[in-house]
């Protein structure tokens, strides 16, 4: 990897960013299309939650496995397989005849998606070995999320209003095929120097834990909550006993790495909750078209796009603390603005909230990724990137599950009922406090895990993960 020219490294970065683009674009477009999907397929709020969480749940369950498989058999192979499955899943989603079929095809998409982002991040980390270059490259990577957030609502709104919601999945087809051909031609193969053995029991416990937890929140199932608690206990007991566990729990002895995972969960829970609330509010309460709703959220998306590469430069020169503090304050302030003031019914306050959230989410992504990956040895890059990406997906899953459950609990009227708007606004207050709490957690955890003490824990963790190489015995020939 170190022998690649600067131009080739940039090309590899561009190809990896294409995979992130179709995954992120798919999620933002889908949010805009939710009301249309609900009307066409007669879906309830919980049904709409599952169209999102079916994807994020499968991705979160498989990311770590796919990261370790990529480290073992080759990152390019897994990356290309992911592009094939994601593109195929997108085609199937566009043909779904029912909500149940759409949820199932979203799961197929997710299997491919689990092979893309963490593996692409690992490819980037091994391509850009200089810490400064890596931070800037990850900043560009994070900027693609901003592009998708800016383009997604507009493209999705145009497609939904002109062709129908099925067209939102067609966007992935040409990009996925182009990325596949370019990866086959230009991305070099790489793998970890030493591969780890599979951990089927650990993988099964992760699937049971995340699946039952999500089901417990969305469907208010106590039995599922008990199962998720038992799965977590089993995982924490079983994994340290394995020589090569699915998740090496020693990673979490690094305060920056642990902080990055907590921040990722909170940031992406806030983001998914933000999109879920606003999509339903703008279209179902205000009665806007999908395109009109997308235009309303454009300030948030544009600021995410602008601030993400700026965050990469700040992380490269000054470290992750400042961006994390800004993110926590901005996202938390957005939540308070909507929870404590009538921001949803006042356009100036509404756009102020969108601006705050766009800035906060724009600066948070790069420090999450950079801290999680650069705190670990390169031989563990695939697993470390997968854990960071898993934290994002868990956050997205929990955000939709929790915010959707809060809204569903407070709304009894049908969408066409005159009382629906008032009930939605009242129920959304509690949901916005949840988002404000996520912002506060980002601020506190980000500040606490990025200081001198935290860096020392990261160094000790790295030393434990990669023991020092044995000293060479001096040759007697030269003595």
């Amino acid at each position: 990897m170190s022998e690649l020219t600067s131009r080739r490294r940039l090309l590899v970065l561009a190809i990896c960013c294409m995979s992130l683009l179709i995954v992120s674009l798919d999620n933002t477009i889908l949010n805009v299309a939710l009301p249309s999907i609900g009307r066409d397929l007669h879906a309830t709020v919980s049904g709409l939650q599952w169209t999102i969480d079916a994807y994020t749940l499968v991705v979160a369950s498989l990311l770590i496995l796919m990261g370790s498989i990529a480290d073992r058999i080759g990152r390019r192979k897994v990356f290309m397989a992911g592009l094939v499955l994601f593109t195929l899943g997108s085609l199937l989603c566009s043909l779904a005849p029912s909500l149940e079929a759409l949820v199932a095809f979203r799961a197929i998409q997710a299997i491919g998606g689990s092979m893309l982002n963490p593996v692409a991040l690992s490819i980037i980390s091994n391509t850009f070995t200089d810490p400064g270059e890596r931070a800037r490259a990850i900043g560009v990577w994070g900027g693609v999320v901003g592009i998708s957030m800016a383009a997604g609502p507009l493209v999705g709104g145009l497609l939904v209003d002109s062709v129908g919601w099925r067209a939102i999945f067609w966007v992935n087809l040409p990009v996925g095929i182009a990325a596949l051909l370019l990866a086959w031609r230009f991305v070099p193969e790489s793998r970890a120097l030493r591969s780890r053995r599979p951990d089927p029991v650990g993988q099964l416990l992760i699937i049971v834990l995340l699946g039952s937890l999500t089901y417990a929140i969305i469907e208010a199932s106590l039995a599922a909550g008990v199962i998720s608690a038992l799965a977590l206990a089993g995982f924490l007991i079983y994994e340290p006993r394995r020589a090569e566990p699915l998740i090496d729990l020693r990673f979490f002895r690094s305060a920056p790495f642990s902080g990055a995972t907590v921040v990722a969960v909170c940031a992406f829970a806030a983001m998914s909750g933000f999109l879920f609330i606003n999509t339903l509010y703008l279209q179902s309460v205000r009665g806007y078209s999908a395109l009109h709703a997308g235009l309303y959220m454009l300030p948030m998306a544009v600021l995410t796009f602008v601030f993400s590469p700026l965050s990469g430069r700040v992380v490269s020169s000054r470290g992750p603390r400042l961006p994390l503090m800004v993110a926590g304050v901005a996202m938390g302030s957005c939540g308070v603005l909507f929870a404590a003031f009538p921001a949803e019914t006042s356009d100036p306050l509404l756009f102020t909230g969108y601006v705050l959230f766009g800035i906060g989410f724009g600066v948070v992504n790069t420090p999450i990724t950079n801290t999680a990956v650069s705190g670990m040895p390169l031989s563990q890059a695939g697993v470390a990137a997968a854990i960071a990406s898993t934290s994002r997906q868990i956050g997205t899953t929990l955000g939709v599950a929790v915010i959707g459950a809060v809204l569903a609990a407070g709304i009894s009227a049908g969408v066409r009922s005159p009382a629906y708007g008032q009930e939605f606004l009242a129920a959304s207050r509690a949901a916005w406090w949840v988002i404000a709490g996520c912002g506060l957690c980002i601020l506190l955890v980000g500040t606490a895990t990025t200081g001198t003490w935290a860096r020392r824990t990261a160094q000790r963790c790295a030393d434990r993960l990669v023991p020092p190489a044995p000293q060479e015995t001096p040759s007697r020939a030269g003595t």
Side-chain angles (χ1 to χ4, degrees):
M1 285 290 189
S2 59
E3 297 178 357
L4 294 179
T5 65
S6 176
R7 187 173 182 178
R8 180 75 175 273
R9 290 199 301 272
L10 291 176
L11 183 57
V12 171
L13 175 62
I15 295 168
C16 290
C17 286
M18 289 175 70
S19 73
L20 177 63
L21 178 64
I22 58 175
V23 171
S24 301
L25 196 64
D26 183 80
N27 286 330
T28 53
I29 288 180
L30 180 61
N31 270 280
V32 173
L34 285 178
S36 179
I37 293 173
R39 289 190 298 269
D40 192 21
L41 301 182
H42 309 290
T44 62
V45 171
S46 64
L48 295 179
Q49 287 174 270
W50 281 116
T51 62
I52 297 175
D53 278 355
Y55 179 88
T56 56
L57 181 59
V58 172
V59 171
S61 299
L62 297 180
L63 275 174
I64 298 170
L65 173 65
M66 295 305 176
S68 61
I69 289 176
D71 282 346
R72 181 166 60 251
I73 70 173
R75 295 171 182 127
R76 188 182 73 159
K77 291 187 183 72
V78 174
F79 182 71
M80 292 175 62
L83 287 169
V84 171
L85 273 177
F86 188 87
T87 305
L88 175 62
S90 299
L91 177 61
L92 292 174
C93 286
S94 72
L95 303 174
S98 64
L99 179 67
E100 293 76 14
L102 178 60
V103 170
F105 294 151
R106 287 280 289 165
I108 294 176
Q109 259 192 319
I111 296 173
S114 69
M115 302 178 184
L116 294 179
N117 288 359
V119 178
L121 269 175
S122 183
I123 291 171
I124 291 172
S125 298
N126 281 267
T127 300
F128 296 88
T129 54
D130 177 75
E133 283 191 352
R134 182 189 301 144
R136 288 189 290 272
I138 292 175
V140 173
W141 165 271
V144 174
V145 176
I147 294 174
S148 70
M149 293 186 73
L154 296 179
V155 174
L158 284 170
L159 290 174
V160 170
D161 288 347
S162 60
V163 182
W165 64 264
R166 297 179 186 279
I168 66 175
F169 297 104
W170 299 344
V171 178
N172 301 329
L173 305 184
V175 180
I177 293 171
L180 176 65
L181 296 175
L182 290 170
W184 174 75
R185 175 65 179 85
F186 294 107
V187 174
E189 186 61 279
S190 66
R191 55 177 58 88
L193 295 177
R194 180 177 175 274
S195 61
R196 300 182 309 146
R197 288 178 294 179
D199 179 10
V201 174
Q203 181 61 56
L204 178 62
L205 287 170
I206 283 288
I207 293 173
V208 173
L209 168 61
L210 296 179
S212 57
L213 178 60
T214 305
Y215 188 88
I217 295 172
I218 294 178
E219 305 295 342
S221 170
L222 178 60
V226 172
I227 292 173
S228 67
L230 293 174
L232 175 60
F235 186 82
L236 295 177
I237 293 170
Y238 176 79
E239 286 297 281
R241 299 175 183 273
R242 280 187 57 86
E244 296 181 352
L246 179 69
I247 300 177
D248 193 333
L249 297 181
R250 293 178 299 172
F251 281 17
F252 295 94
R253 295 178 182 177
S254 164
F257 184 84
S258 297
T261 58
V262 172
V263 168
V265 170
C266 292
F268 279 77
M271 183 273 294
S272 63
F274 177 93
L275 292 177
F276 195 80
I277 291 176
N278 280 285
T279 296
L280 294 179
Y281 171 71
L282 292 173
Q283 295 187 58
S284 299
V285 177
R286 287 202 174 189
Y288 294 159
S289 68
L291 177 58
H292 196 173
L295 288 171
Y296 250 70
M297 289 191 286
L298 190 59
M300 180 273 295
V302 170
L303 286 168
T304 297
F305 169 66
V306 170
F307 276 85
S308 193
L310 292 177
S311 176
R313 296 191 185 97
V314 174
V315 171
S316 176
S317 60
R318 299 187 57 180
R321 172 172 281 190
L322 180 60
L324 289 175
M325 292 175 67
V326 171
V329 171
M331 296 171 79
S333 298
C334 171
V336 172
L337 184 66
F338 282 97
F341 302 94
E344 287 172 312
T345 56
S346 167
D347 279 351
L349 290 179
L350 184 78
F351 286 117
T352 300
Y354 288 0
V355 166
L356 286 171
F357 197 90
I359 293 171
F361 192 70
V363 299
V364 78
N365 208 25
T366 299
I368 291 172
T369 303
N370 188 69
T371 303
V373 174
S374 46
M376 297 295 146
L378 283 180
S379 61
Q380 302 280 359
V383 179
I387 294 174
S389 294
T390 298
S391 301
R392 291 181 174 87
Q393 296 298 329
I394 291 173
T396 301
T397 303
L398 294 180
V400 172
V402 172
I403 297 300
V406 170
L407 291 177
I411 300 174
S412 58
V415 175
R416 299 183 185 278
S417 170
Y420 180 83
Q422 291 300 321
E423 289 187 2
F424 186 98
L425 289 174
S428 68
R429 297 284 183 266
W432 283 111
W433 280 119
V434 173
I435 292 175
C438 289
L440 178 61
C441 186
I442 293 169
L443 173 63
L444 297 178
V445 173
T447 303
T449 59
T450 51
T452 303
W453 162 81
R455 288 192 292 271
R456 286 199 298 267
T457 66
Q459 184 58 55
R460 289 195 297 268
C461 177
D463 292 341
R464 291 190 185 99
L465 290 171
V466 181
Q471 298 291 327
E472 293 185 6
T473 304
S475 172
R476 295 185 179 181
T479 61

